[in-house]
Amino acid sequence: MELSVTDLSVVLGRRQVLEGISALLVPGRITAILGPNGAGKSSLIKTVAGLLPAHRGTVTLAGRAVADIEPRERARLIGYLPQDGTAAWNIRAAELVALGRLPHRAPFAGPAPHDFDAVMLAMGATETTHLADRPVGELSGGERARVLLARVLAGEPRWLLADEPLASLDPAHQLDILDRLRTVASGGAGVAIVLHDLGHAARVADDVLLLNQGRVAAFGPAADVLTEARVAEVFAVKVRWIDTEHGRMLVPVGRG
């Protein structure tokens, strides 16, 4: 179930934030959306999720315009994790995760056994099972971030779109979440994530969609996009690819 972005332009107020964006996102792979501040990363992922209207161009899922898919069905197909997500109510963590199952349930219907199973699997995958009975308001920022990710995973979406999912996590949990997202992609779902950290992107991404000033600077396999010359041009940062026992890593070494 491919996500296709074709000649996409987005206008917010009177400002054009994206222009002529085209990319084909493939399930079973992780696509990192990168770019300097103000490049249009969050606007792009919101538009792909159907949360912002396109000024021109299309976003299609398996050939269907995402904007035309009924919201309940779209919520089953596309899970969206916003930047700095919050919980509207101070409910138990397990109850918050269970909200991810609502698109799969008939109106006013109670949860089925599979709903409980999906919640427990999602909390296990994010190492939040021990937080199940804790009120969300009592969780740390990192704990809450993992619970919110579990809510998206509980919905078993065909595509998971995440805007800066590592922002409030310590380094150990950042690596853990990246590993969890790799597991999601390995299971056949598509994953697209907005990231700032070039090293994390190089570690986890199969493909990189690099934006600069609202346009595509490059799109393709991570190693092809994140060249030392291109990173220096777009981010004004010098980087080096180095080989380690854990694989090739991209390391910033100074200002460009």
Side-chain angles (χ1 to χ4, degrees):
M1 187 172 281
E2 295 176 338
L3 263 174
S4 178
V5 181
T6 305
D7 194 27
L8 181 71
S9 296
V10 174
V11 174
L12 297 179
R14 297 182 178 181
R15 185 169 65 94
Q16 183 156 327
V17 295
L18 294 170
E19 183 175 357
I21 307 295
S22 293
L24 182 64
L25 310 187
V26 180
R29 297 174 70 83
I30 295 179
T31 300
I33 301 172
L34 304 178
N37 291 338
K41 302 182 296 294
S42 292
S43 296
L44 175 59
I45 205 162
K46 287 178 182 177
T47 307
V48 172
L51 301 175
L52 283 180
H55 177 69
R56 187 180 67 248
T58 59
V59 178
T60 60
L61 178 61
R64 301 169 63 192
V66 168
D68 294 338
I69 299 175
E70 186 269 330
R72 187 179 183 84
E73 181 184 2
R74 189 168 66 216
R76 291 194 295 268
L77 296 172
I78 299 175
Y80 172 69
L81 183 63
Q83 186 177 151
D84 299 325
T86 58
W89 304 285
N90 191 28
I91 57 179
R92 295 187 308 117
E95 293 173 324
L96 178 61
V97 176
L99 295 177
R101 297 300 304 168
L102 288 180
H104 296 271
R105 290 159 50 185
F108 309 111
H114 179 68
D115 296 316
F116 289 113
D117 292 342
V119 168
M120 289 299 99
L121 283 172
M123 298 192 78
T126 53
E127 295 187 357
T128 55
T129 305
H130 66 291
L131 303 174
D133 292 325
R134 293 265 302 277
V136 177
E138 296 180 5
L139 303 180
S140 69
E143 290 171 335
R144 185 168 57 252
R146 287 186 286 137
V147 168
L148 290 168
L149 175 59
R151 181 179 65 178
V152 177
L153 294 178
E156 301 175 311
R158 302 293 295 274
W159 274 89
L160 192 159
L161 309 180
D163 191 356
E164 290 287 350
L166 311 181
S168 59
L169 300 178
D170 60 43
H173 283 116
Q174 288 180 353
L175 295 176
D176 186 58
I177 291 299
L178 292 176
D179 289 341
R180 303 303 176 189
L181 294 175
R182 168 54 59 198
T183 300
V184 171
S186 297
V191 177
I193 51 175
V194 172
L195 293 173
H196 271 299
D197 190 296
L198 295 172
H200 285 329
R203 180 179 185 274
V204 75
D206 299 298
D207 302 308
V208 168
L209 177 55
L210 181 60
L211 302 181
N212 193 20
Q213 298 181 346
R215 295 176 177 269
V216 175
F219 175 61
D224 294 343
V225 172
L226 296 177
T227 65
E228 296 172 6
R230 184 174 287 117
V231 170
E233 177 184 356
V234 173
F235 291 96
V237 172
K238 294 180 180 178
V239 295
R240 294 290 182 269
W241 282 98
I242 61 173
D243 293 312
T244 75
E245 60 180 314
H246 302 291
R248 297 195 77 208
M249 294 187 177
L250 189 66
V251 179
V253 295
R255 296 282 293 180

